[in-house]
Amino acid sequence: MRYYVESYGCTMNFGEGRKLSADMASMGYSEAPSAEEADIVILNTCTVVDTTEKRMLARISELKKLGKEIVVTGCMAKAQPRRVEIRLPESIIVPPEDYHVFAREIAERYGIAGPPLPIKQETDAILPIAQGCLGNCSYCITKFARGNLKSYPADEMTSTFRSFVEGGAKEILVTAQDTACYGWDVGTNLQTLIRSMLEVDGEYRVRIGMMNPNNLMRIWEGLIETFDDRRMYRFLHIPVQSGSDRILKAMRRRYTVEDFMSLVDDVRSACPDVSIATDIICGFPGETDEDHEMSMQLIKDLRADTVNITRFSSRPGTDAATMEQVHGRIAKERSAELTKMKNDTELDVNSSMVGKLYRTLATEKGKEGTIVRTENYRPIVIRDEIPLGTFVDVEVTENRPTYLLGKIIW
């Protein structure tokens, strides 16, 4: 029997999907090139917004019609198991907290297919370092799926990191629901973990995943010190979510706009070329035109390298679902305005990079060519076809709102 892991959602979910794939290979199952060509499909679900949930349910129906054996993992397996069970009453459902028994459940249902098979080595790797978070955001269904913070042992994380590098990985994404609070439940912290990882010899790049502002405030100085190592991407993903303190309070985000902007100012002072990414939710319950304008102004003042705009999606069981909702038409209009503002701002920010030279790493294939990343994680598209995992010197020739164009300097 052949298997296929089909993952959706965040970086962490994709990292866990790779681990599930390794578990399947350890039991002798060979990987199919697609779900359609597999006998067993591990559907690694996401349910962060309503449209994604509907997509998951539709995908279950599609796979059932194809006669596939379906194993459901990921956030929906924990947050909404009944929705899955109704459609797949006889299937294996494994929530994230039970991944340690995933292989056993597969073996009990389908048996051991044969001796362990080699795991495909990638030029990139994803390293989840914790489950859950310390927050209690009023809109978040992921909290139901992942629970409170549970950091993985630091020695295991460093060992896994070493195995990635020795296996040929050139880009390692260190991730969690809130990477900043790693270790607080076990008496350590993120910067200590990162320093231990950087003791591993090799030429590679490390990217730190999303960090909530209130938790990053506690560790930013020590974390920024690790950016002195050129193998660290000088990049921070710090979701602000709104430019209105009133909305942030309703979201239970535990910081103010001033707190966030002060943090960014401090980080930029310590590391001038740091790349900042942030997220904004538009149309949150109770959001007024004035609140929306505050978010517009924040984008203009922040001048982030990347802003991700998401329309609010009511999730069952969350407090935000019981609040007064913003009409969908209004949320759509606000989303369009925010997107235009962020595109105009990012285009201007990117213009400062034109004509400069960067040491880059080829990370993925895009529609227009190879995508390479600068040392501060800015994406540059080059027309040349080069192997992923290759380091090249690139000159930026043009700018776009969300990426840059460049050429290799041989």
Side-chain angles (χ1 to χ4, degrees), residues 133-151:
C133 70
L134 295 174
N136 186 32
C137 298
S138 62
Y139 55 85
C140 184
I141 195 173
T142 306
K143 180 73 175 187
F144 301 158
R146 301 286 180 169
N148 292 322
L149 176 66
K150 184 179 179 181
S151 301

Side-chain angles (χ1 to χ4, degrees), residues 1-7 17 20-21 23-25 27-44 59 63-64 66-73 88 90-94 102-114:
M1 297 179 75
R2 296 201 297 173
Y3 77 93
Y4 185 79
V5 178
E6 187 169 294
S7 294
L20 298 175
S21 181
D23 286 344
M24 294 295 290
M27 294 182 286
Y29 288 92
S30 59
E31 184 176 11
S34 69
E36 287 67 27
E37 297 173 74
D39 303 294
I40 303 172
V41 177
I42 294 93
L43 189 64
N44 196 23
R59 187 56 174 155
L63 293 172
K64 282 182 66 177
L66 292 173
K68 305 300 179 183
E69 291 290 321
I70 308 170
V71 177
V72 178
T73 61
L88 298 170
E90 304 299 326
S91 291
I92 296 174
I93 301 173
V94 186
F102 170 81
R104 187 180 71 197
E105 294 212 23
I106 293 293
E108 289 177 352
R109 175 70 64 89
Y110 303 110
I112 302 295

Side-chain angles (χ1 to χ4, degrees), residues 182-203:
Y182 171 80
W184 294 0
D185 55 329
V186 292
T188 186
N189 55 50
L190 178 63
Q191 58 266 44
T192 300
L193 176 66
I194 295 300
R195 289 191 190 102
S196 70
M197 291 176 175
L198 292 172
E199 292 178 3
V200 178
D201 292 333
E203 188 177 18

Side-chain angles (χ1 to χ4, degrees), residues 34-235:
S34 69
E36 287 67 27
E37 297 173 74
D39 303 294
I40 303 172
V41 177
I42 294 93
L43 189 64
N44 196 23
T45 60
C46 174
T47 186
V48 66
V49 295
D50 181 64
T51 52
T52 306
E53 176 191 328
K54 290 177 179 176
R55 185 180 181 187
M56 298 297 95
L57 297 176
R59 187 56 174 155
I60 287 173
S61 297
E62 291 171 356
L63 293 172
K64 282 182 66 177
K65 289 179 181 178
L66 292 173
K68 305 300 179 183
E69 291 290 321
I70 308 170
V71 177
V72 178
T73 61
C75 288
M76 186 172 272
K78 174 65 176 181
Q80 298 162 303
R82 283 297 301 153
R83 301 213 71 180
V84 177
E85 290 167 358
I86 290 170
R87 292 160 177 80
L88 298 170
E90 304 299 326
S91 291
I92 296 174
I93 301 173
V94 186
E97 64 194 39
D98 292 337
Y99 284 165
H100 62 286
V101 300
F102 170 81
R104 187 180 71 197
E105 294 212 23
I106 293 293
E108 289 177 352
R109 175 70 64 89
Y110 303 110
I112 302 295
L117 297 175
I119 300 170
K120 180 182 178 182
Q121 297 295 331
E122 305 282 357
T123 58
D124 69 315
I126 303 172
L127 180 57
I129 59 174
Q131 281 283 350
C133 70
L134 295 174
N136 186 32
C137 298
S138 62
Y139 55 85
C140 184
I141 195 173
T142 306
K143 180 73 175 187
F144 301 158
R146 301 286 180 169
N148 292 322
L149 176 66
K150 184 179 179 181
S151 301
Y152 298 145
D155 57 345
E156 291 182 14
M157 296 300 94
T158 303
S159 176
T160 302
F161 182 90
R162 180 181 297 277
S163 70
F164 286 154
V165 174
E166 292 177 349
K170 297 299 182 181
E171 181 183 69
I172 298 98
L173 312 180
V174 176
T175 185
Q177 269 68 59
D178 183 355
T179 314
C181 58
Y182 171 80
W184 294 0
D185 55 329
V186 292
T188 186
N189 55 50
L190 178 63
Q191 58 266 44
T192 300
L193 176 66
I194 295 300
R195 289 191 190 102
S196 70
M197 291 176 175
L198 292 172
E199 292 178 3
V200 178
D201 292 333
E203 188 177 18
Y204 51 81
R205 295 287 182 270
V206 179
R207 192 198 77 182
I208 305 298
M210 187 277 288
M211 292 175 280
N212 282 321
N214 54 305
N215 292 326
L216 179 57
M217 289 172 198
R218 295 175 54 179
I219 66 163
W220 75 267
E221 290 177 286
L223 185 61
I224 289 298
E225 288 176 0
T226 69
F227 286 9
D228 290 339
D229 191 309
R230 307 309 289 184
R231 295 172 299 179
M232 290 291 295
Y233 279 126
R234 297 185 294 281
F235 165 84

Side-chain angles (χ1 to χ4, degrees), residues 332-345:
K332 184 176 181 179
E333 291 173 353
R334 290 176 181 171
S335 176
E337 290 178 2
L338 288 165
T339 299
K340 184 180 186 307
M341 174 65 78
K342 81 106 177 178
N343 283 341
D344 290 345
T345 303

Side-chain angles (χ1 to χ4, degrees), residues 232-268:
M232 290 291 295
Y233 279 126
R234 297 185 294 281
F235 165 84
L236 295 174
H237 180 189
I238 324 170
V240 63
Q241 303 300 17
S242 176
S244 164
D245 285 342
R246 190 181 69 84
I247 294 299
L248 289 177
K249 185 175 181 180
M251 290 177 170
R252 296 203 291 265
R253 290 293 288 174
R254 302 181 183 179
Y255 55 85
T256 65
V257 174
E258 183 178 359
D259 291 335
F260 172 81
M261 293 300 290
S262 294
L263 171 64
V264 171
D265 288 343
D266 288 341
V267 166
R268 284 173 167 166

